[in-house]
Amino acid sequence: MMKKTLQSLLALALILALCACGSPAASPVADSTPAPSPVLDNTPVPSPVPDNTPNQQPTPDVTPGATPVPQDYSPTTGRAGYSAYNPVAVMIEESSAARPQVNLSQADVVYELKVEGGFTRMMAIFNDNLPEKVGYVRSMRIYFARLATEWDPVLVHYGGPSGDSSINIYQYIKNKTWRAWVDGMQYDGTSYVWRDTSRKAPSNALANIKLAAAKATSSPKWVHAYSFTDTPYSGPTAHTVSFNMDMKKYQYRYDAATNSYKRFLDGKAFMDGATGTQLSPANVIIQYTKHTLVGNAANHKLIDVIGQGKCQVFSGGVAIQGTWKKGSEQEQTRFYDANGQEIKLQRGSTFIHFVDLNANVSWS
């Protein structure tokens, strides 16, 4: 009997133990150990690496009122270190009396077109560098002003023709909106424009381009940007480029060490009087266009800078046959290859020559 009682007690104890195991779990005890704070990654986020692949250059909006396009490379030369777009267009005399010009080698783009009397004149666009002394400043023509408009620049010149509307530069300029306008006729003797008394007038006017740029009353409404590439084009060799503009013989000789074209005029190296260096643009562009005599005496020229026509681009030691197009004064001039693709320039300055439709340009 006692044996059965003992067995019953043992069975009851086992049942109670099993019930305890199946009871609800106790509430968890809060862990008073503070949770670790998230670790902040203070490693600087790398800035985006500029994509220099062709076609990655931003295309500017040339619509009036457009916001300038920011980029890490200069839109005018393709060089690194670009920080602002505030171009200055300044008229430069080309004649022998004005040589050697002052700081012309610092310009991003230089246009050269014919004027009266068998002479040419240049309009230099400064943006990457803004020298405090540039010369020698001379008068403007309407077709230069039409080219300047596409840059939305500060305008610097010294006078210009009046007379009928086909040549009257003042009538033209006053009907346009410029971010700033510095005419030596009004500013001569100031810190903006002054005379180098060691030289003979009129080929002795200098201008402070840095000060002129600061005179701008507004930011540019658009950015004038070329397309650039680090890969030279393939094409016919163009190590020597030769042509005439009226009575002057021009030649550009390619220098592979600097990937640029050294400029010669009438067989002489074309030098910069301030830097002592030879002018050597990375790109030389020839634009063929119509030249017309206009004015009361029919001795002034009107050069078609709006429209389209044939061009040659010499860049990276090769010749690229193509076309140029400019639909309006504000629209940027574009250069296209034979396949209709926009030509990408080598990084550096660009010289653009407007020649007659029948001009003879040779290269080898």
Side-chain angles (χ1 to χ4, degrees):
M1 180 71 176
M2 290 184 61
K3 183 176 180 181
K4 288 183 178 181
T5 302
L6 182 59
Q7 289 175 343
S8 298
L9 290 174
L10 289 172
L12 179 61
L14 179 61
I15 291 170
L16 291 173
L18 291 172
C19 290
C21 290
S23 62
S27 300
V29 177
D31 186 354
S32 59
T33 304
S37 301
V39 178
L40 298 178
D41 184 357
N42 294 322
T43 305
V45 178
S47 300
V49 177
D51 185 352
N52 298 327
T53 305
N55 295 325
Q56 295 300 318
Q57 298 290 337
T59 300
D61 187 346
V62 294
T63 303
T67 302
V69 180
Q71 55 183 19
D72 296 321
Y73 281 67
S74 165
T76 53
T77 64
R79 297 184 181 119
Y82 165 69
S83 60
Y85 180 76
N86 187 27
V88 179
V90 55
M91 290 301 302
I92 303 291
E93 183 174 355
E94 195 291 310
S95 73
S96 58
R99 298 182 209 134
Q101 286 78 8
V102 178
N103 277 321
L104 187 58
S105 63
Q106 301 301 304
D108 300 4
V109 177
V110 176
Y111 295 95
E112 187 164 358
L113 292 84
K114 297 178 182 181
V115 289
E116 308 77 36
F119 293 100
T120 63
R121 192 149 292 175
M122 296 182 284
M123 182 174 70
I125 308 297
F126 292 88
N127 185 69
D128 287 8
N129 300 297
L130 299 173
E132 296 182 357
K133 184 186 293 185
V134 169
Y136 294 96
V137 183
R138 286 299 298 272
S139 58
M140 178 165 274
R141 303 294 183 269
I142 286 179
Y143 41 90
F144 280 106
R146 284 178 175 152
L147 285 170
T149 300
E150 68 180 72
W151 295 85
D152 194 18
V154 171
L155 199 62
V156 179
H157 66 109
Y158 202 116
S162 55
D164 66 77
S165 60
S166 65
I167 62 173
N168 192 319
I169 190 63
Y170 286 100
Q171 179 179 322
Y172 180 88
I173 289 178
K174 289 177 180 178
N175 286 333
K176 302 293 179 180
T177 300
W178 306 94
R179 294 188 302 111
W181 177 23
V182 177
D183 179 6
M185 297 292 288
Q186 296 178 328
Y187 285 87
D188 195 358
T190 70
S191 52
Y192 292 97
V193 180
W194 67 98
R195 297 281 183 178
D196 178 354
T197 56
S198 67
R199 299 176 64 93
K200 185 177 180 180
S203 307
N204 65 344
L206 295 164
N208 187 326
I209 304 306
K210 185 176 182 179
L211 198 61
K215 189 176 174 62
T217 57
S218 62
S219 298
K221 295 183 288 295
W222 57 78
V223 173
H224 185 299
Y226 290 122
S227 296
F228 295 95
T229 179
D230 295 312
T231 304
Y233 272 74
S234 59
T237 297
H239 287 182
T240 302
V241 181
S242 304
F243 57 94
N244 293 352
M245 291 185 74
D246 284 340
M247 298 176 288
K248 293 181 293 187
K249 298 182 183 299
Y250 290 80
Q251 191 173 83
Y252 287 92
R253 302 174 190 172
Y254 181 65
D255 178 24
T258 59
N259 193 28
S260 65
Y261 284 87
K262 294 185 179 297
R263 174 179 164 118
F264 293 82
L265 183 61
D266 293 332
K268 297 180 180 179
F270 199 96
M271 308 298 291
D272 187 313
T275 65
T277 58
Q278 186 173 2
L279 271 66
S280 302
N283 311 284
V284 178
I285 300 176
I286 307 295
Q287 280 187 245
Y288 295 80
T289 189
K290 184 179 179 181
H291 292 53
T292 307
L293 292 176
V294 295
N296 293 333
N299 60 352
H300 285 268
K301 286 183 172 64
L302 183 62
I303 299 176
D304 291 349
V305 299
I306 299 172
Q308 59 184 338
K310 184 176 71 172
C311 75
Q312 283 127 8
V313 177
F314 300 97
S315 185
V318 302
I320 308 163
Q321 297 273 19
T323 57
W324 64 270
K325 294 181 181 179
K326 177 177 170 65
S328 67
E329 290 182 341
Q330 293 180 339
E331 186 175 334
Q332 178 179 328
T333 306
R334 304 278 182 183
F335 304 98
Y336 300 94
D337 63 19
N339 296 319
Q341 299 297 310
E342 187 168 359
I343 296 172
K344 295 169 180 60
L345 305 176
Q346 295 292 293
R347 301 184 192 279
S349 62
T350 300
F351 278 31
I352 304 172
H353 294 263
F354 280 71
V355 299
D356 298 290
L357 293 173
N358 59 353
N360 181 26
V361 179
S362 61
W363 60 90
S364 59

